[in-house]
Amino acid sequence: MKLKTKLLGILIPLILIPILGIGITAYEYLQHTALQSARSQMSSLAKQLDVTVKSHIENTQNSVGFLSKNHLIQEYITSNEDSRYYLLQKPLTRFLKKHQATYPDQYEIRILLPDGYEELRVTNQAYKNQTDDESKTPFFKNLTPENINIQHFLYMNEDNRSSALLFSKALVLNNRTTDAHGVQATLRGFLSVTIKPNFITKLLTALPSDFPADLIVTNQSNVTYLTTNASLPIQDIIKQYTNSSINGTKISPITLNKEQYLISSQEISENIRIFILVNTNALFDVANKLSRTVVILSILVVLTSSLILYIVITKTIISPLITLNEAANNISQGRLEHIESSTNKDEIGDLFRSFAEMSHNLKSSTKQIEELAYFDNLTGLPNKVTFFETIGRLIERSDKNQSKLAVIFFDLDNFKNINDGLGHQMGDLLLMHVGTRIKDCLRDSDLISNLHEVYSLQGSHLISRMGGDEFALILSNLSQKDEARKIAVRILTELARPFLLDSHEIYIGASIGLALYPENGETPETLLKHADIAMYEAKSKGKNNFQFFEEAMTDILNKRLTLEAAIRVAIEKNEFTLHYQPKVSLEDNSRIEFEALIRWITPNRGFVSPADFIPIAEESGLILQIGDWVLNEACRQTKQWINQGHTNIQISVNFSPVQINYGNPINSVKAALNKHQLNPRHIELEITESGLMQNERVAIAYLNSLKELGVSIALDDFGTGYSSLAYLQRFPIDTLKIDRAFINDVEHNTDSQHVLDTILFLAEKLNLKTVAEGVETESQLALIKDKGCKIIQGYYFSKPLPANEAMTFFMQKKGG
Amino acid sequence: MPAFTQFVRFFSLLPLLLLSNISVAQESTPSPQKESAKILTLYNWSEYFDEKIITSFEAKYNVSIHQVFYETDELKDEYLISTNGGEGLDIIIGSDVSFKTYIKRNWLASIDNKKIPNLKNIDTRWRDTSPTLIPYSVPYLWGTVGIAYRKDKVLSPVSSWLDLFRPTAELKNKIIMIDDSRDTLGLALKALGYSTNSTTPFELGSAEKLLRNQRPFVSKYSYINLSEKSSLVTGDTWMTMVYNGDGLSLKDINPNIEFIVPKEGTNLWVDHIAILEKSKNKKLAYTFINYINTPKNAAQLASALNFASPNSSATPHLEKSFLNNTAIYPEITILDKSEAFAEFTPRKQKKRNEVYMRVIE
């Protein structure tokens, strides 16, 4: 509605202003023209008046002249009464009547005696003669016997009470029958002819009706005899006229009764003056009429154009806008309906098309947004949101059809190593491949894999990426637990196969936890939590396996969490101590070597085995703090021993793979060495084989850096796990520590002896030191010694001892 | 008269008046033999003389008589004015009233009684009615004014002037009135019971009103044609005011015409014959006047024109039927109610003129 008003508000003035402009211009032009035309009409009227009146005067004067010479009239006026009345009156009357018939405007023809007696009157008007004796009347007093010319003047005819124009001639004659020759002619009487001066005013009727002219006819003494408009203030006009300098036929403006007039005046003859007055206000009638017409026209135009514009605007703009507005409302409320595209080729049509396109785009981008919201960008799998959205509904459905439902939760073993070592892009690529492989583990038709299927809950299984390397599966419509197990096995099998990514062959594994509805929980959160716990259980069971959730797992988890908390306290309260197990060199008696081993004795539970708390410290990341502490303590003790004079000394410290993968091993080692001003050659880092193999390149890089610091590197527990001889060549290691398993077997297992032989042969060839761990008996020592291993560690010589006792071992041995 | 329609421009008034209103009786060029013969010019109404008398006079005195006719008294006056009292005319016949004016204007010659021996035949009572005329004129004929009408057309009886002045509806445009204020205005006054010679404004006003109301019935103000072509004879006119002798003449032409003298009385008129002052044949004129007053000629004139003669010597020569005709010699009861024209002061005459002119113009 506001747009309509605005458009009308703009368009109506656009239409109206030209009309008003033309109207005003035309009004002024008409006023000007009317004034000009009035002046020219006045001039022409004045000329016309002059000609007409003069012609009337001349004609009547001619008549009077001829009549005065007429035989009968002369006879009559010179005869005595007898002759006049018995003899001449009738013929003369008839004669004058005939004359009057020819000149009807000479309505009164009279013969008067010098004393004013009206001798004869011929008139064609019906009125009564007031008196025969005109001697006292003003008109007779005007007659001058001395003037033998024809006089004329205006007077008031008392007989018919109207203005009259009288022509008169004094008849000065001899009596032809009685007067002797030469007798002075005497005044016999007057011949007078009266005409009505109306012919003057009648001229106005010939003028156009819209020319509002008025005439005033006066005599020389300004006595008014005739006017076309009795309401005019005649005396005022004459006064103004005589007082002002208006003269001649000049047209001048004058104000009368607060109205504007044009006035001109002319003397037609010595006794007749005519004023012409034109009411200019009345002249402007045409202009005023026009202005009224313009106003009416404007109103009509405004009304009709408003109506037309209203209809046009409504039809071509407002209605489409309302449709668009409704469409926009629908869109804002999420109803993306198809918008009928307008066929109009105007801007509104364009807007419509743009809007339809926008709606279409919005529809598809909304779909994308929804997919983003519900699906993982990377793998295209449903995300965590979809998981929680769907699981509740699947649970409801399972309730209805009495089927089982399982939640599978897992992450990828060693994913962090790959991500850090090969870069995030490679990690992402791996996740995409993992997603594909998981999908391959399930029947396509079972999967809820797109938004439509999410909404309609079409399918029974859902795979979702929960974030990072974590995946969760919902398996519904299960008839028994074993179906879930089969799927778990399938997943494990699939993920165990190597991934070929960008020419890298990558091995990962997965630890899978399963939770069943309703046995392992009734809410999605509980089910997921329990699957998670089961997954931890699987991890703690050595990875690459799966576990069904059991209530006991909760206890284990709780224990672990308790232990983790205790470790934090232990770090704070410095509850850890280092024990040192001597490593005896068979070649050099002066050589002092220890392996630093952590010992934790808590106030509450007493001694806690490193086998119990180190894995938890590694999983929780606390191993970094513990590792730093161990390194520092070992350096401090070593420095102390060096300061006591034991310079041929080397201490080996266990370095967790977590420290290499997640910590900053270079800085940590450098800081510890610097802190205690210790020569790096006194420190050896023991690293397990498995920790290095997770990310070979990263491991090599770190090891090289550490080597550059000057510390020695030992490969711990060599011979178990994936032990690869190729590593020995690639890794910059100084020492091989042969796993105690070989030492335990060596006396009774020839295979072990052969492996041992090979290791020692290889080490010798590669110029690596070899350390035999777990040597407990003399026979073991003898065998190993025989095979050429130079450094022995084990209970045969000593168990791990507190620092002072450990040094005492070497002093007694030296002394012994 | 149609001649007036030619009256267009006033400066040509006089010649036209002369040419068109005067008709000359003998229009043939006079023969060389008669050139030596004296010519006596007679100015008269038409149909108002007897051809036999003229013929006998011409033969007896070896003269030629020219007759000049006038159609109305007014035209007669105008002609006299224009001819300065009748130059070229010798004898005039006209109403006693008009002669009184002429005498004042010295247009009539005084009469030497000795030169007209037959004057003794004139009944003195006709001369005595107008004493001012005795030295100048001789009574010619006398008569009354009456109504001539078509008794086959006018079905209601006609006996009063009011039958003429206040006519029945069917007479519309069927009346002709004499164009003379003495007859028409005078008898209107008489019809209303006033004197024909009244000058009182009220009576004149009443008469004017009566005449005005009569106007729609009047086809024209003129004297009725007396020939066989007369509109009364043909039936175009049903009623007219007429002098008694003329009424009888018309009755002779068409028996459907009746003439009566109304019961209210009428005008008594006397026409005179006189010699114009300007006449150059005054002697012959005396002879002529004397000639027409011989007993036989006087009787001949009266009987020919159906008017009563003032010449008492004529009576023995007139037939009884003529003498007993009341239309010619009215009964005493009518005569008692009738009036002769009176003479008014000029200004009273003027007033009567004005009343009359107002009506008929």
Side-chain angles (χ1 to χ4, degrees), chain B residues 206-217:
Chain B
S206 303
E208 184 178 349
K209 196 174 173 187
L210 183 66
L211 288 171
R212 277 187 196 286
N213 291 337
Q214 190 207 17
R215 275 207 69 156
F217 297 88

Side-chain angles (χ1 to χ4, degrees), chain A residues 576-630:
Chain A
F576 296 108
T577 53
L578 285 184
H579 283 199
Y580 301 90
Q581 187 172 36
K583 291 192 283 186
V584 178
S585 174
L586 297 177
E587 292 177 330
D588 183 359
N589 275 335
S590 65
R591 180 73 175 171
I592 300 167
E593 287 187 34
F594 298 107
E595 179 181 2
L597 292 163
I598 192 161
R599 289 292 177 270
W600 180 24
I601 297 158
T602 72
N604 299 333
R605 31 182 122 186
F607 177 78
V608 181
S609 163
D612 288 337
F613 76 83
I614 289 298
I616 291 167
E618 283 183 333
E619 282 170 21
S620 63
L622 288 170
I623 193 69
L624 296 176
Q625 285 169 273
I626 292 168
D628 280 352
W629 181 84
V630 168

Side-chain angles (χ1 to χ4, degrees), chain A residues 270-331:
Chain A
E270 68 271 21
N271 278 318
I272 301 173
R273 167 179 285 164
I274 300 176
F275 293 90
I276 304 174
L277 278 151
V278 173
N279 187 331
T280 49
N281 293 12
L283 271 184
F284 299 153
D285 272 358
V286 177
N288 291 334
K289 214 178 276 175
L290 176 89
S291 65
R292 276 198 297 280
T293 310
V294 167
V295 167
I296 292 166
L297 192 67
S298 300
I299 291 168
L300 284 177
V301 163
V302 168
L303 288 178
T304 51
S305 56
S306 297
L307 189 67
I308 291 165
L309 285 174
Y310 183 88
I311 292 164
V312 169
I313 290 169
T314 301
K315 200 174 174 188
T316 63
I317 301 175
I318 303 301
S319 288
L321 285 185
I322 287 170
T323 311
L324 285 177
N325 193 31
E326 282 170 3
N329 268 335
N330 284 339
I331 287 166

Side-chain angles (χ1 to χ4, degrees), chain B residues 23-31 34 38-40 51 54-55 58 63-69:
Chain B
S23 46
V24 178
Q26 295 181 346
E27 298 200 345
S28 58
T29 320
S31 62
K34 286 196 175 175
K38 286 197 171 174
I39 295 169
L40 193 66
E51 290 300 315
I54 286 176
T55 311
E58 283 175 335
V63 295
S64 177
I65 291 176
H66 283 195
Q67 285 197 77
V68 177
F69 301 129

Side-chain angles (χ1 to χ4, degrees), chain A residues 61-353:
Chain A
Q61 279 179 339
N62 284 342
S63 278
V64 173
F66 282 121
L67 286 175
S68 68
K69 290 188 184 80
N70 178 263
H71 169 76
L72 262 178
I73 288 172
Q74 293 197 347
E75 186 70 38
Y76 186 92
I77 201 68
T78 52
S79 295
N80 59 28
E81 286 192 329
D82 271 320
S83 287
R84 291 208 299 269
Y85 306 141
Y86 279 104
L87 199 62
L88 297 166
Q89 187 182 6
K90 275 173 68 184
L92 182 56
T93 303
R94 290 206 171 158
F95 163 63
L96 291 177
K97 279 272 181 190
K98 302 237 150 62
H99 172 80
Q100 198 169 52
T102 314
Y103 300 91
D105 60 321
Q106 298 174 13
Y107 73 94
E108 193 176 77
I109 304 173
R110 287 181 289 178
I111 293 172
L112 296 135
L113 296 184
D115 64 357
Y117 180 75
E118 188 180 283
E119 262 297 311
L120 194 76
R121 162 194 293 259
V122 172
T123 176
N124 53 15
Q125 307 277 306
Y127 55 85
K128 203 166 174 237
N129 188 15
Q130 301 290 319
T131 173
D132 284 343
D133 184 4
E134 302 281 358
S135 60
K136 301 286 188 298
T137 58
F139 115 81
F140 187 75
K141 286 177 180 170
N142 258 323
L143 297 177
T144 47
E146 295 77 21
N147 188 349
I148 56 157
N149 291 324
I150 299 163
Q151 326 165 38
H152 69 270
F153 50 85
L154 291 159
Y155 80 107
M156 185 56 68
N157 189 337
E158 293 297 329
D159 292 336
N160 61 2
R161 311 290 304 164
S162 64
S163 296
L165 179 58
L166 181 114
F167 293 79
S168 175
K169 181 170 168 58
L171 298 168
V172 179
L173 296 165
N174 286 109
N175 186 322
R176 283 184 292 178
T177 49
T178 56
D179 287 358
H181 189 69
V183 170
Q184 178 80 40
T186 54
L187 176 71
R188 302 292 180 164
F190 299 95
L191 171 67
S192 78
V193 170
T194 309
I195 63 173
K196 287 190 175 173
N198 299 11
F199 66 87
I200 299 172
T201 52
K202 274 176 187 161
L203 272 180
L204 285 184
T205 59
L207 292 174
S209 60
D210 58 346
F211 180 61
D214 284 311
L215 296 179
I216 300 169
V217 181
T218 72
N219 68 3
Q220 194 63 8
S221 325
N222 290 328
V223 179
T224 306
Y225 284 97
L226 204 61
T227 174
T228 52
N229 185 351
S231 63
L232 288 171
I234 292 160
Q235 290 314 312
D236 188 29
I237 293 165
I238 292 166
K239 203 193 245 175
Q240 286 200 44
Y241 178 79
T242 44
N243 288 347
S244 73
S245 56
I246 306 165
N247 56 15
T249 52
K250 196 181 160 205
I251 297 165
S252 317
I254 188 173
T255 305
L256 300 167
N257 293 344
K258 295 176 182 173
E259 292 200 32
Q260 295 299 315
Y261 289 84
L262 291 173
I263 188 167
S264 72
S265 155
Q266 60 191 136
E267 275 183 37
I268 304 291
S269 72
E270 68 271 21
N271 278 318
I272 301 173
R273 167 179 285 164
I274 300 176
F275 293 90
I276 304 174
L277 278 151
V278 173
N279 187 331
T280 49
N281 293 12
L283 271 184
F284 299 153
D285 272 358
V286 177
N288 291 334
K289 214 178 276 175
L290 176 89
S291 65
R292 276 198 297 280
T293 310
V294 167
V295 167
I296 292 166
L297 192 67
S298 300
I299 291 168
L300 284 177
V301 163
V302 168
L303 288 178
T304 51
S305 56
S306 297
L307 189 67
I308 291 165
L309 285 174
Y310 183 88
I311 292 164
V312 169
I313 290 169
T314 301
K315 200 174 174 188
T316 63
I317 301 175
I318 303 301
S319 288
L321 285 185
I322 287 170
T323 311
L324 285 177
N325 193 31
E326 282 170 3
N329 268 335
N330 284 339
I331 287 166
S332 75
Q333 286 165 23
R335 295 192 295 271
L336 288 171
E337 288 143 6
H338 178 67
I339 293 164
E340 277 299 323
S341 210
S342 171
T343 53
N344 284 355
K345 293 196 170 162
D346 58 11
E347 289 82 349
I348 294 288
D350 291 344
L351 180 60
F352 241 91
R353 284 183 282 279

Side-chain angles (χ1 to χ4, degrees), chain A residues 614-779:
Chain A
I614 289 298
I616 291 167
E618 283 183 333
E619 282 170 21
S620 63
L622 288 170
I623 193 69
L624 296 176
Q625 285 169 273
I626 292 168
D628 280 352
W629 181 84
V630 168
L631 199 57
N632 265 289
E633 179 56 23
C635 287
R636 186 197 62 76
Q637 186 59 56
T638 308
K639 185 69 184 178
Q640 192 183 336
W641 279 327
I642 290 169
N643 288 344
Q644 288 168 1
H646 311 292
T647 52
N648 193 13
I649 188 168
Q650 188 178 50
I651 312 296
S652 63
V653 179
N654 284 297
F655 215 67
S656 159
V658 175
Q659 279 177 282
I660 292 175
N661 290 334
Y662 299 99
N664 197 338
I666 316 297
N667 283 350
S668 294
V669 172
K670 202 193 264 181
L673 292 171
N674 286 343
K675 188 179 175 184
H676 300 288
Q677 297 291 310
L678 187 67
N679 192 318
R681 64 187 171 88
H682 298 299
I683 296 296
E684 185 178 62
L685 300 177
E686 289 185 14
I687 300 166
T688 57
E689 189 187 26
S690 63
L692 293 176
M693 283 196 308
Q694 279 173 9
N695 196 337
E696 190 187 308
R697 269 203 315 214
V698 174
I700 292 169
Y702 277 130
L703 292 180
N704 281 330
S705 298
L706 288 170
K707 279 282 282 184
E708 278 171 26
L709 284 178
V711 298
S712 302
I713 309 285
L715 196 57
D716 203 4
D717 303 333
F718 188 77
T720 59
Y722 297 101
S723 299
S724 161
L725 292 179
Y727 287 169
L728 299 178
Q729 195 184 3
R730 272 179 255 156
F731 290 152
I733 52 177
D734 301 293
T735 308
L736 277 181
K737 288 187 81 174
I738 299 157
D739 195 273
R740 66 182 68 241
F742 290 104
I743 307 300
N744 284 343
D745 279 354
V746 81
E747 284 175 294
H748 316 290
N749 190 329
T750 49
D751 283 352
S752 289
Q753 284 181 23
H754 290 148
V755 172
L756 192 60
D757 286 341
T758 309
I759 292 170
L760 289 172
F761 174 78
L762 196 65
E764 194 186 339
K765 292 292 173 197
L766 292 173
N767 197 27
L768 297 175
K769 287 198 292 181
T770 49
V771 178
E773 280 186 289
V775 177
E776 292 177 355
T777 63
E778 180 130 28
S779 57

